[in-house]
Amino acid sequence: MANFKLNAVFTGISKSIGELTFYSSNGKTVSRTKSAKPYRHTEKRKEQIQAFTITANDWRLLPAQIKSAWDVFAEKKKTRGYNLFIKSNVRHNRASETIALTPPSDIPSVSSFSLKLSDTGKIQAEFTLPAEAQTLHLTLVYRETDPQFKVSRAFRIKELGINSQSPAVIEELIPQKSYEIFAVLSSDEFGKSQKFSESVFDKVTV
């Protein structure tokens, strides 16, 4: 409630009326609008914003062929590949989990996939391919990982081709760095493909 001090002239008011605050300044009664309360981000909201930002950066760094795969898949749902990628992966980033690199697909996935350090100090990818994979191309998509899951890293490609033999040595990795490596199958060479199997992955520190 506002307090009024009355005399022959309406001279003094304290407190507020509606969105106006009245106060005295140099013997005069003046008014101003109330300042809005600052918006406070809760911890939950901060986590959501951070997860969305990381996922959007993941999309930006995806190889063009994988972006196309999401776009093609999204056409059936009358939406955009970007939207489906974000929807599929923001929860993974919020939980500090590995993302789904590729959308659902009728191309069979790699049956098993693991990374091991060889006797020569190189990282080996050991995998088992499905019976239907005799004419499919195997590609490894990998990136350095951020221990805090706060920074998106660029993806790199290593094509292993048709009838790939396990294990495959990955010589491009930098010592003392950590990586997540995805394995995907496609009916054509990676650079010509717009459709891939659902990715499988493993993580390793060199």
Side-chain angles (χ1 to χ4, degrees):
M1 173 181 286
N3 298 322
F4 298 81
K5 298 175 184 178
L6 300 177
N7 53 23
V9 181
F10 195 21
T11 59
I13 305 174
S14 63
K15 294 194 178 178
S16 302
I17 300 176
E19 294 300 316
L20 294 176
T21 298
F22 294 85
Y23 61 98
S24 295
S25 177
N26 296 325
K28 296 181 179 181
T29 300
V30 294
S31 67
R32 67 183 178 191
T33 57
K34 291 182 181 178
S35 59
K37 293 182 179 179
Y39 181 79
R40 294 183 180 179
H41 289 303
T42 64
E43 286 302 315
K44 182 177 180 180
R45 181 62 177 158
K46 288 179 181 178
E47 289 175 3
Q48 291 172 336
I49 293 172
Q50 184 182 67
F52 179 87
T53 301
I54 293 172
T55 309
N57 285 335
D58 285 342
W59 169 265
R60 180 176 59 84
L61 295 169
L62 282 179
Q65 296 82 355
I66 293 180
K67 285 183 180 178
S68 294
W70 281 99
D71 286 333
V72 170
F73 180 74
E75 287 178 1
K76 305 174 185 177
K77 300 182 179 295
K78 301 184 185 303
T79 185
R80 298 168 55 210
Y82 171 83
N83 294 339
L84 282 183
F85 180 83
I86 296 293
K87 183 178 180 180
S88 299
N89 286 305
V90 70
R91 59 187 175 86
H92 291 308
N93 276 322
R94 187 175 178 187
S96 298
E97 298 172 347
T98 299
I99 63 171
L101 183 72
T102 53
S105 171
D106 56 7
I107 296 178
S109 299
V110 175
S111 301
S112 65
F113 183 74
S114 62
L115 302 169
K116 294 183 179 179
L117 186 65
S118 69
D119 295 337
T120 60
K122 300 291 185 180
I123 297 298
Q124 292 184 160
E126 298 183 355
F127 52 86
T128 304
L129 301 179
E132 311 95 305
Q134 294 180 358
T135 60
L136 298 178
H137 295 252
L138 175 63
T139 301
L140 304 183
V141 183
Y142 65 96
R143 65 175 176 177
E144 184 185 338
T145 57
D146 171 36
Q148 302 300 321
F149 277 85
K150 293 182 179 180
V151 179
S152 299
R153 307 288 189 180
F155 291 90
R156 302 185 184 281
I157 304 299
K158 183 177 180 66
E159 295 190 63
L160 299 181
I162 297 177
N163 294 323
S164 305
Q165 300 299 311
S166 178
V169 177
I170 310 173
E171 298 182 350
E172 296 84 352
L173 306 185
I174 301 173
Q176 299 181 350
K177 298 288 185 180
S178 296
Y179 293 86
E180 55 185 5
I181 301 180
F182 302 84
V184 296
L185 292 167
S186 58
S187 56
D188 207 337
E189 296 176 6
F190 184 89
K192 300 178 181 179
S193 295
Q194 291 187 328
K195 188 175 182 181
F196 301 90
S197 65
E198 292 186 55
S199 58
V200 297
F201 73 92
D202 197 9
K203 298 179 181 182
V204 68
T205 299
V206 183

